[in-house]
Amino acid sequence: MSLQAYINKKVLIITVDGRTLVGTLLSCDQVTNVLLEHAVERVIREHGSEQASEEQPLGSYLIRGDNVVVCGLVDEALDASIDWTKVRGDVIGSTKNI
Amino acid sequence: MLFFSFFKTLVNHEVTVELKNDISIRGTLKSVDQYLNIKLDDISVVEEMKYPHLSSVKNVFIRGSVVRYVHLPAAAVDTPLLEDATRREASQAVAKAKQG
């Protein structure tokens, strides 16, 4: 399947509840279940927030396919050049209608 | 099946995919599969200031189930061909229903 191309590479996943997870893609399947190694949650604070954006280490994470919105291939050089603690942005909404 | 084939004709065209969480991602359509999962290359998020999360990502896989709209380049859509294909599929469905 098409996620096979990202295996053993650093990926960024946005979940249905709007969280951003970054890690190494170890495995994936037909229905987009994904296994991340060295996963971290990237918490990006809102514009005007005093708190610094941060990364929360999570370990290995198995994400069920129906929770995946986007799986992006991270450009590691570009990613390292960004100081993520200073990045501000809106909270990503859910893809569910609650 | 029709839309799977249709999207395959749009490969290498620039499209904008609007997700159900209101993020819009523009990029070159690289591949599409049976679930209408979409792969885009050279992406940019339309409201980058609002959603900086993907700023170190150039290449994405988008799960088909979270897509709200795909904005297409009008010039790349062959409307008569699409109409024909739709009618063909509809008449096939009718023929199948009569058989069964």
Side-chain angles (χ1 to χ4, degrees):
Chain A
M1 242 292 301
S2 39
L3 266 180
Q4 288 288 345
Y6 297 171
I7 278 195
N8 288 327
K9 299 205 168 105
K10 191 170 173 181
V11 294
L12 180 146
I13 288 175
I14 295 176
T15 59
V16 161
D17 58 357
R19 282 192 271 189
T20 307
L21 305 169
V22 185
T24 308
L25 183 68
L26 273 197
S27 176
C28 61
D29 69 3
Q30 280 279 333
V31 291
T32 353
N33 293 319
V34 288
L35 181 57
L36 289 188
E37 193 185 35
H38 308 303
V40 291
E41 180 178 353
R42 208 168 256 173
V43 185
I44 291 178
R45 307 282 179 205
E46 285 184 81
H47 292 283
S49 166
E50 301 278 293
Q51 265 179 301
S53 297
E54 58 182 314
E55 286 192 337
Q56 198 71 245
L58 303 168
S60 291
Y61 246 47
L62 177 90
I63 306 166
R64 194 179 144 89
D66 49 6
N67 288 297
V68 174
V69 173
V70 157
C71 179
L73 185 65
V74 173
D75 182 328
E76 298 205 37
L78 187 57
D79 194 62
S81 74
I82 298 172
D83 181 1
W84 286 101
T85 62
K86 294 204 168 60
V87 174
R88 293 287 183 279
D90 279 23
V91 173
I92 297 179
S94 167
T95 57
K96 294 260 167 65
N97 296 308
I98 308 167
Chain B
M1 225 41 205
L2 202 160
F3 279 89
F4 175 43
S5 312
F6 171 65
F7 277 118
K8 280 198 286 191
T9 69
L10 288 170
V11 164
N12 289 325
H13 286 86
E14 177 123 321
V15 295
T16 305
V17 180
E18 183 178 328
L19 308 179
K20 290 181 188 170
N21 57 14
D22 296 333
I23 299 180
S24 292
I25 304 173
R26 192 188 350 258
T28 310
L29 185 67
K30 275 296 157 193
S31 77
V32 60
D33 66 13
Q34 54 175 332
Y35 306 108
L36 303 188
N37 294 330
I38 289 173
K39 263 181 137 179
L40 297 182
D41 217 349
D42 239 333
I43 61 138
S44 58
V45 175
V46 173
E47 295 161 299
E48 177 109 46
M49 284 301 286
K50 251 175 112 175
Y51 304 112
H53 310 70
L54 287 167
S55 41
S56 63
V57 172
K58 287 282 148 262
N59 197 303
V60 284
F61 168 93
I62 301 169
R63 193 172 146 101
S65 62
V66 299
V67 173
R68 184 183 288 142
Y69 302 119
V70 182
H71 305 249
L72 311 166
V77 183
D78 186 345
T79 317
L81 186 74
L82 191 57
E83 284 174 354
D84 280 351
T86 310
R87 293 200 184 96
R88 215 175 306 126
E89 194 140 306
S91 61
Q92 274 170 7
V94 170
K96 225 178 207 172
K98 275 185 186 157
Q99 258 178 27

